[in-house]
Amino acid sequence: MRTLHIGLRVTDRKDSLAFYEAIGYEVVGCVPETPIGHLTMLKLPDDEFVTVELVHDAKPVVRGTDVSHLVVKVESMADTLEALASQGIEPAGPGHESADGLKTAFVADPDGRRIELVQWPPGHADGMTAADLPPRKDDSDG
């Protein structure tokens, strides 16, 4: 098994699409009329498959009923934040840099969902692995 994608309910399809495209997502396709609303499928340029589905219907999005945050890997935090700022998207709070060079920052989409931007230190794997986490104490932790 593997994770396919995450579906995010959005209030304004146009604003949300502009935001996710500013981060770097590309539209793969749309399914305009489904029982859950208009679906827009997105992926990042280095992704092979759809990773985000924007779901738009007439119901308002209620904060707290969607997700905590998405995480997007960036090559250069400085370049990414500069590019986002040029489109009116500012960080949602201060960023963080660890001693080993891991850099993180958050931005918020038009519905207030946090998107965590991550720049791995040189030589790090493309994704998170068990080596990035503290050792497990026992199986009851998670």
Side-chain angles (χ1 to χ4, degrees):
M1 287 192 277
R2 65 183 294 271
T3 301
L4 293 180
H5 63 271
I6 186 165
L8 302 175
R9 290 192 61 229
V10 299
T11 302
D12 185 301
R13 187 170 28 126
K14 182 180 172 187
D15 287 349
S16 294
L17 185 56
F19 172 84
Y20 285 94
E21 287 179 328
I23 288 179
Y25 282 92
E26 303 169 346
V27 174
V28 174
C30 296
V31 183
E33 295 185 32
T34 76
I36 62 171
H38 184 286
L39 309 178
T40 304
M41 308 301 184
L42 308 175
K43 74 175 201 67
L44 288 167
D46 292 338
D47 289 335
E48 184 177 354
F49 303 110
V50 168
T51 54
V52 174
E53 173 186 72
L54 302 180
V55 181
H56 178 260
D57 63 16
K59 300 175 204 158
V61 174
V62 178
R63 283 176 181 42
T65 62
D66 39 28
V67 286
S68 169
H69 66 285
L70 300 176
V71 182
V72 175
K73 180 184 122 212
V74 300
E75 296 303 319
S76 166
M77 187 64 69
D79 291 348
T80 299
L81 292 176
E82 182 179 325
L84 292 174
S86 73
Q87 297 185 57
I89 300 169
E90 295 295 331
H96 172 77
E97 183 170 356
S98 66
D100 67 355
L102 170 70
K103 296 178 183 178
T104 63
F106 282 92
V107 294
D109 79 1
D111 288 300
R113 276 185 290 268
R114 296 178 318 143
I115 312 299
E116 181 181 10
L117 306 174
V118 173
Q119 178 184 328
W120 294 121
H124 191 281
D126 281 340
M128 185 179 286
T129 68
D132 296 306
L133 305 171
R136 290 183 60 158
K137 294 179 185 172
D138 62 44
D139 288 335
S140 65
D141 289 344

